[in-house]
Amino acid sequence: MQEIFSNTTLTVEYLINKIATGELGLPELQRPFVWKDTKVRDLFDSMMRGYPIGYLMLWECPKANKKKSIGTNNHNYSEPKEVIIDGQQRLTSLYSVIMGKTVVDSNFRERTITISYCPLKNKFEVGHSATKNDPEWIYNISDLFTTVNNFKYTGDFIERLREYRISKNEDLTDQEQDDIANRINAIFNLKKYTLPVFNIGADAQEEAVSDIFVRVNSGAVPLTQNDFILTLFSLYWDDGRHQIEAFSKASTIPTNKETTSYNGITQVDAQDIIRVVMAYAFDRARLKYSYKLLRGADFDKRGVVEDELRKQRFETLKTKLPDVLNVHSWHEFIKAITNAGYLSSELILSHNAIFYSYALYLIAMHRFGASYNENMHLTSLWFFCASITSLYTGSFESTVENHLNSIKEFASLEEYKNFILSKVDERLTNDYFNITLLGSEGLAVSGKGNNAWNAYVASLNILNARVLFSQGNLLVSQLFDTNKSSNRKSLEKHHLFPKAYLKSLGYPDSKINQMANYALIDWKDNAEILDAAPSIYYPEKCKNMSTLEIQHMEEENALPHGWENMKYEDFLQERRKLMSAKIKAAFNLLRSHIN
């Protein structure tokens, strides 16, 4: 049996030179640099003491071609020969400190790692004002590693410290000077520190690489297909990865302008963009095959990797990624989500539903020429259907890829439109609304919420329902607070049959917290109701309303007339029917907008 890896030892200096020349790729494989500076400090302290600091795992890249060096600042390699799979944080730490380079943290901010060292105490610290101003300390050991003349650096440090001691009427002894010189030299020689290295061959499949990673790390979180795909971006189109990260970063920074990816619905991760661009550009939902595709696998030749195929596919990526990262298209798509009634991230349980719907939005726009209105209504309907039926949860990739394979055969917008409508009608049948939605897969559950409850709330938004007990025309949609810094939500879930009241009747929490026992009201009203029975508080809340106003309020909030005097179990059954009818009405309204 052919071994897929070999063992060796390499010096820190050799590894850093491989990074500097481009021979060894150092992508942010699992996530950006997340180590605290104290951990970097401890890393250098362990090396100084001669302690082991772990191993590195390198994966050989297929067909990396060497090119001539042009100028001292250019990489010698057009593409890395190897990529680091495990030990990225350690190697990033070493490279950053020894080369004096900045790192990008998990908040996408560039920063410098400053490690201070006191030769006389043989002690490392994270750099701060005290170590900066104290002549006993080397404030930033990067200065030592990047100096042209180590002997001159050591002599200058000793001389400055000697002058400082004289100013305090103290001596710098010969022994202290020898200790300083020896220890500074020992710091400089940390570049000769050796690390054990696992070299994995280019022919190893990503499943084997991930398995090795987990086994060596005693059950660590496995590397995902997203990790491998982002690695390929780093190797073959680093600018594309930076574009993805910039779009993702911008989605986390609040702004009222639609000039960035920020929105009130979702934050974006790099893996979200990967899913969108692979579906949009290559009709792929299975990320396992997406990785193989970008690596250059020829599926007609049993997955043989071909360099030319990889180059062609990255060229396709370069033409399609700008569509995905187009901020104007992104916000038009977000409007389609809100048009479907989903005005808050709390209503969206499947993150994937957003981004696979976005892929379809882009396909309709760019492949079939859908107009803004056509695309918005199609996308709103699709997202509503996908959300309530949990289409993008569980083992969904095969379903999505089947959809994409069907769509790529279409030649017109009409075919695409008919496909969307057929898939929606296939799922949202009369039986779905009359049976499934009323059962344990729908509204007959307890808890904080599920896709059926969220679809009910979205339906209230679509149908412009007014808030329960509203004395005017206050809509449910108006009480969705998009200000993420707010500590108090305007809209709250209220137990129609209060918890304390039901507990007094012996009902368990699973019955008390049924979805059908919830209604959305203004938090001020919720604070006033307290624990009274509905037969007591409801007439009091409605005393200033006309009979017609009460009927309209009940209809809009799916309340059976006379509910306050019903037995609790009977109320739950009747209200589920009315809630389902609301969802169906909202669905029919969305569908009616598609000609």
Side-chain angles (χ1 to χ4, degrees):
M1 179 178 177
Q2 182 181 4
E3 291 188 359
I4 63 173
F5 74 94
S6 60
N7 294 317
T8 188
T9 57
L10 298 174
T11 66
V12 168
E13 184 174 36
Y14 181 75
L15 288 162
I16 286 175
N17 285 337
K18 282 164 72 78
I19 295 169
T21 61
E23 185 179 358
L24 172 60
L26 185 60
E28 295 159 359
L29 178 105
Q30 295 158 62
R31 57 182 60 189
F33 187 76
V34 296
W35 269 18
K36 293 182 178 180
D37 288 357
T38 52
K39 198 162 184 178
V40 181
R41 173 203 65 194
D42 294 344
L43 178 72
F44 277 90
D45 184 66
S46 294
M47 292 169 65
M48 190 70 166
R49 295 172 184 271
Y51 295 169
I53 61 169
Y55 69 95
L56 301 178
M57 186 184 295
L58 308 182
W59 188 12
E60 184 183 4
C61 303
K63 297 186 179 181
N65 300 315
K66 189 170 181 179
K67 68 176 183 180
K68 294 182 179 179
S69 177
I70 306 174
T72 56
N73 292 325
N74 287 345
H75 284 180
N76 295 343
Y77 292 83
S78 59
E79 297 163 356
K81 291 179 64 178
E82 295 171 303
V83 61
I84 184 159
I85 296 298
D86 196 13
Q88 183 256 344
Q89 300 289 307
R90 271 166 290 151
L91 199 49
T92 298
S93 301
L94 294 169
Y95 183 76
S96 173
V97 173
I98 291 174
M99 299 296 288
K101 303 291 187 181
T102 59
V103 295
V104 177
D105 65 17
S106 57
N107 293 317
F108 301 95
R109 292 190 296 257
E110 276 197 19
R111 65 179 183 87
T112 300
I113 302 173
T114 302
I115 304 299
S116 300
Y117 177 70
C118 181
L120 288 175
K121 295 180 180 178
N122 192 24
K123 183 179 180 181
F124 292 91
E125 284 289 354
V126 176
H128 53 87
S129 58
T131 63
K132 186 174 185 179
N133 297 322
D134 191 343
E136 303 273 346
W137 286 78
I138 297 172
Y139 172 60
N140 190 347
I141 62 175
S142 295
D143 296 339
L144 170 59
F145 287 118
T146 57
T147 187
V148 176
N149 190 327
N150 183 38
F151 295 105
K152 183 177 185 305
Y153 181 95
T154 304
D156 289 345
F157 178 85
I158 291 173
E159 182 60 25
R160 286 194 302 272
L161 181 55
R162 189 173 65 82
E163 291 176 355
Y164 171 73
R165 290 281 184 89
I166 291 173
S167 72
K168 297 178 63 178
N169 295 319
E170 298 175 359
D171 292 329
L172 183 65
T173 67
D174 290 343
Q175 183 60 54
E176 286 179 320
Q177 292 183 50
D178 288 343
D179 289 344
I180 290 171
N182 289 334
R183 286 170 180 167
I184 288 180
N185 190 56
I187 294 291
F188 186 78
N189 284 332
L190 289 180
K191 292 193 290 186
K192 294 181 171 57
Y193 184 98
T194 59
L195 286 164
V197 177
F198 291 156
N199 285 308
I200 302 176
D203 293 335
Q205 296 300 306
E206 67 275 10
E207 295 93 338
V209 175
S210 184
D211 191 36
I212 293 171
F213 176 84
V214 172
R215 289 169 185 261
V216 170
N217 284 281
S218 301
V221 177
L223 300 175
T224 67
Q225 297 300 331
N226 282 314
D227 294 327
F228 288 115
I229 291 172
L230 288 172
T231 299
L232 292 179
F233 267 84
S234 297
L235 294 175
Y236 302 124
W237 188 32
D238 201 37
D239 182 58
R241 174 162 183 158
H242 288 311
Q243 291 177 39
I244 291 171
E245 289 172 343
F247 190 91
S248 302
K249 174 185 177 182
S251 76
T252 67
I253 303 172
T255 176
N256 292 325
K257 300 178 181 179
E258 293 188 356
T259 54
T260 75
S261 57
Y262 180 79
N263 63 94
I265 298 297
T266 187
Q267 291 186 358
V268 184
D269 292 327
Q271 66 181 18
D272 300 324
I273 302 301
I274 292 298
R275 287 192 178 276
V276 175
V277 75
M278 296 312 298
Y280 169 57
F282 299 106
D283 300 301
R284 293 285 180 178
R286 291 187 180 95
L287 292 185
K288 171 182 177 180
Y289 295 117
S290 297
Y291 167 77
K292 293 178 182 295
L293 182 141
L294 288 183
R295 200 180 180 199
D298 188 335
F299 297 109
D300 293 330
K301 296 181 180 179
R302 297 185 178 181
V304 174
V305 173
E306 295 188 2
D307 200 42
E308 190 57 38
L309 277 178
R310 190 253 307 158
K311 290 178 181 178
Q312 290 174 10
R313 288 161 181 170
F314 268 91
E315 286 303 313
T316 299
L317 269 183
K318 291 175 183 179
T319 64
K320 297 297 185 182
L321 185 61
D323 293 340
V324 176
L325 302 183
N326 183 291
V327 174
H328 179 66
S329 297
W330 170 245
H331 283 289
E332 286 184 341
F333 165 73
I334 292 296
K335 289 173 185 174
I337 301 300
T338 58
N339 184 65
Y342 289 83
L343 304 182
S344 166
S345 59
E346 295 179 357
L347 297 178
I348 303 173
L349 299 183
S350 171
H351 198 63
N352 289 328
I354 298 174
F355 293 95
Y356 277 119
S357 295
Y358 184 40
L360 291 181
Y361 183 89
L362 294 172
I363 288 171
M365 177 194 295
H366 294 287
R367 198 180 298 176
F368 300 116
S371 69
Y372 169 74
N373 283 332
E374 286 177 310
N375 210 359
M376 183 183 72
H377 292 310
L378 279 169
T379 304
S380 296
L381 181 67
W382 180 259
F383 186 80
F384 188 91
C385 174
S387 296
I388 193 173
T389 61
S390 305
L391 177 63
Y392 294 112
T393 58
S395 302
F396 64 89
E397 286 187 338
S398 60
T399 299
V400 178
E401 195 144 303
N402 286 336
H403 291 173
L404 293 170
N405 284 332
S406 296
I407 291 170
K408 72 181 179 182
E409 301 298 325
F410 301 154
S412 68
L413 176 61
E414 194 64 26
E415 288 179 287
Y416 173 80
K417 185 190 303 183
N418 289 336
F419 173 82
I420 293 294
L421 291 176
S422 68
K423 291 301 177 183
V424 169
D425 291 342
E426 187 179 287
R427 288 175 173 268
L428 300 186
T429 62
N430 286 330
D431 282 349
Y432 178 84
F433 291 109
N434 297 333
I435 300 173
T436 305
L437 202 51
L438 302 182
S440 59
E441 295 182 10
L443 295 166
V445 295
S446 65
K448 293 182 178 180
N450 62 2
N451 280 325
W453 166 262
N454 292 342
Y456 167 69
V457 178
S459 298
L460 296 182
N461 294 328
I462 292 170
L463 298 170
N464 291 319
R466 288 170 296 179
V467 176
L468 187 64
F469 305 132
S470 172
Q471 296 296 306
N473 294 313
L474 183 62
L475 303 180
V476 171
S477 60
Q478 291 175 299
L479 290 183
F480 273 89
D481 189 358
T482 58
N483 180 6
K484 294 183 179 180
S485 65
S486 175
N487 292 324
R488 164 67 85 171
K489 294 180 182 178
S490 298
L491 195 63
E492 292 193 349
K493 288 170 72 175
H494 159 66
H495 287 81
L496 292 164
F497 281 70
K499 293 179 68 173
Y501 170 71
L502 290 175
K503 279 187 176 296
S504 71
L505 298 179
Y507 282 98
D509 287 345
S510 61
K511 282 291 186 181
I512 294 171
N513 296 324
Q514 284 285 307
M515 294 294 105
N517 192 30
Y518 286 125
L520 294 173
I521 64 175
D522 192 337
W523 69 270
K524 295 177 182 177
D525 289 312
N526 201 18
E528 294 172 358
I529 290 172
L530 299 177
D531 300 324
S535 59
I536 296 174
Y537 81 75
Y538 188 63
E540 182 65 23
K541 293 296 296 184
C542 297
K543 66 182 180 181
N544 295 323
M545 302 173 68
S546 68
T547 302
L548 186 60
E549 286 175 328
I550 293 173
Q551 289 176 347
H552 285 166
M553 179 185 69
E554 290 177 343
E555 190 279 328
E556 286 183 306
N557 288 274
L559 290 172
H561 186 62
W563 70 272
E564 69 275 19
N565 296 311
M566 284 184 173
K567 292 181 179 179
Y568 182 56
E569 295 288 352
D570 294 339
F571 161 75
L572 291 178
Q573 290 185 25
E574 292 304 311
R575 186 154 193 258
R576 287 181 195 125
K577 294 176 184 177
L578 294 176
M579 292 170 74
S580 179
K582 281 290 174 191
I583 297 172
K584 185 176 182 180
F587 162 69
N588 287 335
L589 183 59
L590 289 176
R591 201 186 186 293
S592 70
H593 290 140
I594 301 173
N595 298 324

